[in-house]
Amino acid sequence: WILYLNDNWASHDDDSGALMTGSGGELRAFCRNGGWCGSSDGNLQVGWLRKDNINATNQHVLDFEFDPIFLDSWVKVETCAGGKYHEESDENGATKWRPMSALYRIKKGNRSTEMRRNGRAGYEFHRQDPQREYLSKPFGPDSPTWPSQLNLEPLEFAKALALQLSNKEFRDNFIGTEDISAPGIDIIDVSPYAGTLVLFDSVVVPHEVLEVKGGQRLAVAGWFHEDQQAFPDWYGT
């Protein structure tokens, strides 16, 4: 959140000629209309899945819809699926389960609401919300499709996430939260008038402050944080 403290501040389109103490310094936000976004059960949003609404007559794109994509980092994965795991783990002191990640969206309409489990592969999607639709298999830093670099720039991180999606159409239409070059962005500028309170999700709304052209821009800013998720009872076992 941001609370502006400036008096007599001109907006970017103010042509009244009135004497102002300052100008510029607008907060510019790059927004997408995607409904529920930001986080889901403590899982952060990491991207958007774009769907084009096509004109049936001329096949032109009319507009876009966006599904928020969330990252579940507590997928329960068997360390050694199949074989004589339990006997070996007792001898070596290894743990049976390890946490991995998976991507999901919130279901809409008639999408299936059944919890999915793959016992043969040795993993289980743990979730409290039956409206989750998982779009990837579990993955982690040692997955073949994950880049070897430890620190990825935001756009490279988004590309790595897209590679985890199980559907090619999904991979082609995945957009990282910080990607402002993809279509469907609404640009909103907020002038720093005194008393203006701005609330937005700083994780999924890319934003910047425009150049201050005169005066001194004054504001108070703060952040609301998600509660940290508790470790699942299987962790470390």
Side-chain angles (χ1 to χ4, degrees):
W1 57 268
I2 300 175
L3 177 62
Y4 291 115
L5 307 176
N6 305 99
D7 284 325
N8 297 323
W9 200 268
S11 66
H12 66 281
D13 57 356
D14 189 349
D15 57 0
S16 64
L19 180 63
M20 298 292 179
T21 60
S23 63
E26 293 86 4
L27 173 71
R28 173 163 289 181
F30 301 88
C31 304
R32 296 186 187 277
N33 184 12
W36 180 359
C37 62
S39 69
S40 162
D41 293 333
N43 298 315
L44 289 181
Q45 182 183 347
V46 292
W48 303 91
L49 199 59
R50 190 186 80 189
K51 177 183 177 182
D52 298 342
N53 293 324
I54 306 295
N55 186 309
T57 302
N58 56 25
Q59 298 301 303
H60 290 169
V61 176
L62 298 176
D63 56 21
F64 309 96
E65 294 181 8
F66 298 95
D67 280 339
I69 303 299
F70 303 96
L71 180 69
D72 180 355
S73 296
W74 288 116
V75 180
K76 184 179 180 181
V77 180
E78 197 170 6
T79 304
C80 181
K84 297 181 179 180
Y85 174 84
H86 293 287
E87 297 174 7
E88 296 172 356
S89 64
D90 290 341
E91 295 176 1
N92 301 329
T95 57
K96 179 178 180 181
W97 305 104
R98 62 171 175 158
M100 296 187 75
S101 301
L103 300 169
Y104 72 91
R105 64 180 172 183
I106 303 300
K107 291 183 176 67
K108 295 180 182 178
N110 296 321
R111 296 173 186 165
S112 171
T113 58
E114 295 180 359
M115 177 178 288
R116 296 191 295 156
R117 172 186 171 87
N118 192 327
R120 293 181 61 188
Y123 64 81
E124 180 178 346
F125 292 125
H126 169 76
R127 61 187 180 191
Q128 299 176 349
D129 186 350
Q131 291 300 309
R132 294 188 193 181
E133 179 189 10
Y134 281 89
L135 306 177
S136 75
K137 293 181 179 179
F139 62 89
D142 56 349
S143 299
T145 53
W146 193 261
S148 58
Q149 302 97 303
L150 293 178
N151 297 312
L152 298 174
E153 294 296 324
L155 294 182
E156 293 301 316
F157 180 65
K159 291 179 181 178
L161 290 174
L163 287 175
Q164 313 312 312
L165 294 166
S166 56
N167 182 301
K168 183 180 184 303
E169 181 182 355
F170 292 166
R171 293 193 293 270
D172 292 342
N173 290 303
F174 180 82
I175 303 169
T177 55
E178 297 194 38
D179 186 353
I180 61 174
S181 63
I185 284 282
D186 292 326
I187 298 178
I188 298 176
D189 291 342
V190 181
S191 296
Y193 294 127
T196 300
L197 175 65
V198 186
L199 299 171
F200 64 99
D201 193 310
S202 59
V203 174
V204 298
V205 178
H207 55 282
E208 62 182 356
V209 176
L210 302 184
E211 179 186 1
V212 175
K213 298 179 179 180
Q216 185 176 16
R217 179 180 181 273
L218 300 176
V220 178
W223 290 263
F224 296 106
H225 290 277
E226 297 285 339
D227 291 336
Q228 183 173 344
Q229 295 187 58
F231 282 52
D233 55 7
W234 52 264
Y235 183 74
T237 62

